[in-house]
Amino acid sequence: MKIIPVKLGPRSYDIHIEPGLLKTLPKHLASFNKGQQWIILSQPDIIQLIGNDLQNSLLKSGFYCSIIPIPNGERAKSFDQYQKIIEAMVQAGCDRSTTLLALGGGVTGDLTGFIAATYMRGVDYFQIPTTLLAMVDSSIGGKTAINLKMGKNLVGSFYQPKGVWIDPDLLTSLPREERISGIGEIIKYGAIRDAPFLETLSTWLDHLETFPFTKAIEHSCTIKSEIVAKDEQEDHLRMILNFGHTIGHALEAHLQYGGLRHGDAVSYGMLCAGWISEQTGLLNSEERQFLEDTISKLPSPSLPDIDPNGVLQHISSDKKYRDGHLNYVLLSGLGNAVISNQISMALIAESLKVIL
Ligand SMILES: NC(=O)c1ccc[n+]([C@@H]2O[C@H](COP(=O)([O-])OP(=O)(O)OC[C@H]3O[C@@H](n4cnc5c(N)ncnc54)[C@H](O)[C@@H]3O)[C@@H](O)[C@H]2O)c1
Ligand SMILES: [Zn+2]
């Protein structure tokens, strides 16, 4: 089993990665079992697929464990669901010793994390990510959130899990499109932090059917954990994880979070950010071309007809605007992200021509 530490002083924890790990999870969690209640939070399909089996194996191993279902889709990250689950936990007699297991993708992880952060002022939780995006990104780093009508992730906190358990075998049931979208985030890690990894990825992408997910997850988690350890609360370095996300988020918001998967949106955003990096002299044309070629190997869905002005409007209301400046993540050479607050709206608008 690959173990990657997330070094955060008293909030440190490990990421564990191993194909087939879910079957042996009760053994690994045994040292955390003090006879408290364990609650699995998960969506109906995932409960059917793996949740019921996990509950049964935990029960057999002496855990006092139940399941609370949450709805599918982004709407699960709502005040309404938050309240319902908290109330269900009170009714089930959960106390401060209760431990939550987030079994699902980023939606389940974000909601469970926020409940863990606030239930009786905080209870322990573990992340058991089941989507590629959650395995390489959302389950690590303790960002938890729910949405408001006015925007995504507007209510939340930094609250670290006690551990992350990744079973890459779970990707076999994940729709192919979800896997492709998740690879977008993996390319991001190479682009911002590790040029040799980006080169390796480019080779792997020549044969998508044999893409070595476990290796890619291990490498991505190592990069993310290192960045989070240096900047837990996104004061500076952690912002580089937003490479491709300024335009990516704006595309998602413009399409009302239904038209494009997150990782696909990030892939398009990286194409634009790569172009801006070249325009500002940070990336030479060969490097920019390599980034573009690598991203283009992904069979991402094509974009529908989009009005660039609509996308730009979302960028102006981006929460990464600080003190009136937009912090834009660019590449100063492949594998080396930098943050600039000097990027004009005009240049961002021009960069959209690369994708629209
Ligand atoms: N906290 C963070 O740092 C962070 C980072 C990135 C994204 N996010 C959040 O993550 C969310 C998106 O996460 P996501 O892309 O994982 O989406 P998701 O959680 O909605 O999962 C996508 C779909 O895949 C299904 N699914 C999950 N695992 C499966 C499996 N193994 N087999 C078959 N189907 C499976 C789910 O039921 C769902 O329908 C967004 O809300 C975003 O804001 C958070
Ligand atoms: Zn992302």
Side-chain angles (χ1 to χ4, degrees), residues 21-315:
L21 178 141
L22 202 67
K23 291 192 187 74
T24 54
L25 199 56
K27 188 181 79 189
H28 299 305
L29 288 178
S31 63
F32 298 96
N33 189 20
K34 311 274 186 280
Q36 76 273 34
Q37 280 215 54
W38 291 73
I39 308 275
I40 299 171
L41 290 177
S42 196
Q43 295 165 324
D45 292 352
I46 311 296
I47 294 173
Q48 278 231 313
L49 217 57
I50 47 177
N52 289 324
D53 286 349
L54 177 63
Q55 183 196 19
N56 287 333
S57 62
L58 285 167
L59 285 170
K60 271 190 207 143
S61 305
F63 288 71
Y64 180 36
C65 173
S66 48
I67 299 181
I68 297 183
I70 64 172
N72 265 324
E74 197 61 38
R75 73 198 163 97
K77 284 172 60 175
S78 66
F79 265 110
D80 182 41
Q81 280 306 316
Y82 169 73
Q83 183 173 352
K84 275 193 181 133
I85 293 161
I86 295 267
E87 285 173 0
M89 285 173 63
V90 174
Q91 268 163 3
C94 293
D95 59 20
R96 293 200 64 187
S97 71
T98 297
T99 305
L100 305 183
L101 298 175
L103 180 68
V107 163
T108 305
D110 280 14
L111 174 66
T112 305
F114 187 57
I115 291 168
T118 50
Y119 187 77
M120 295 193 176
R121 300 195 183 85
V123 297
D124 290 349
Y125 77 114
F126 292 88
Q127 292 275 11
I128 311 170
T130 65
T131 62
L132 184 56
L133 177 118
M135 291 178 188
V136 298
D137 191 3
S138 62
S139 66
I140 306 152
K143 271 197 192 181
T144 77
I146 56 174
N147 305 326
L148 295 182
K149 281 199 185 71
M150 290 89 105
K152 264 178 63 128
N153 301 328
L154 290 178
V155 179
S157 72
F158 287 96
Y159 191 70
Q160 301 295 341
K162 290 287 167 198
V164 182
W165 302 90
I166 301 177
D167 181 347
D169 281 357
L170 302 183
L171 296 176
T172 41
S173 59
L174 192 70
R176 184 173 184 268
E177 304 80 51
E178 291 286 345
R179 291 200 295 265
I180 287 165
S181 162
I183 294 175
E185 292 279 7
I186 294 176
I187 293 175
K188 177 193 78 179
Y189 288 116
I192 61 171
R193 207 67 177 164
D194 191 336
F197 181 46
L198 186 65
E199 277 180 36
T200 306
L201 278 170
S202 189
T203 317
W204 287 347
L205 287 171
D206 287 331
H207 305 282
L208 201 53
E209 41 323 319
T210 58
F211 188 85
F213 283 102
T214 303
K215 278 190 198 157
I217 293 166
E218 287 174 0
H219 214 97
S220 304
C221 289
T222 304
I223 295 174
K224 174 132 191 195
S225 65
E226 176 218 333
I227 293 171
V228 167
K230 289 192 174 130
D231 178 18
E232 186 179 8
Q233 304 227 342
E234 200 169 314
D235 292 319
H236 190 73
L237 180 68
R238 194 168 172 171
M239 279 188 221
I240 68 171
L241 294 169
N242 290 323
F243 179 60
H245 282 59
T246 304
I247 285 177
H249 279 148
L251 287 170
E252 282 183 282
H254 185 65
L255 295 169
Q256 288 156 359
Y257 298 100
L260 196 60
R261 286 182 172 79
H262 177 72
D264 296 325
V266 170
S267 289
Y268 283 113
M270 289 192 290
L271 291 175
C272 298
W275 184 85
I276 295 177
S277 303
E278 185 183 357
Q279 293 300 307
T280 47
L282 291 167
L283 213 54
N284 67 39
S285 64
E286 239 169 63
E287 293 168 320
R288 206 266 308 156
Q289 192 62 52
F290 185 77
L291 177 70
E292 188 180 315
D293 290 347
T294 306
I295 296 168
S296 304
K297 288 180 186 179
L298 269 182
S300 307
S302 41
L303 288 173
D305 266 348
I306 288 178
D307 172 15
N309 290 323
V311 179
L312 291 172
Q313 256 170 25
H314 285 285
I315 293 175

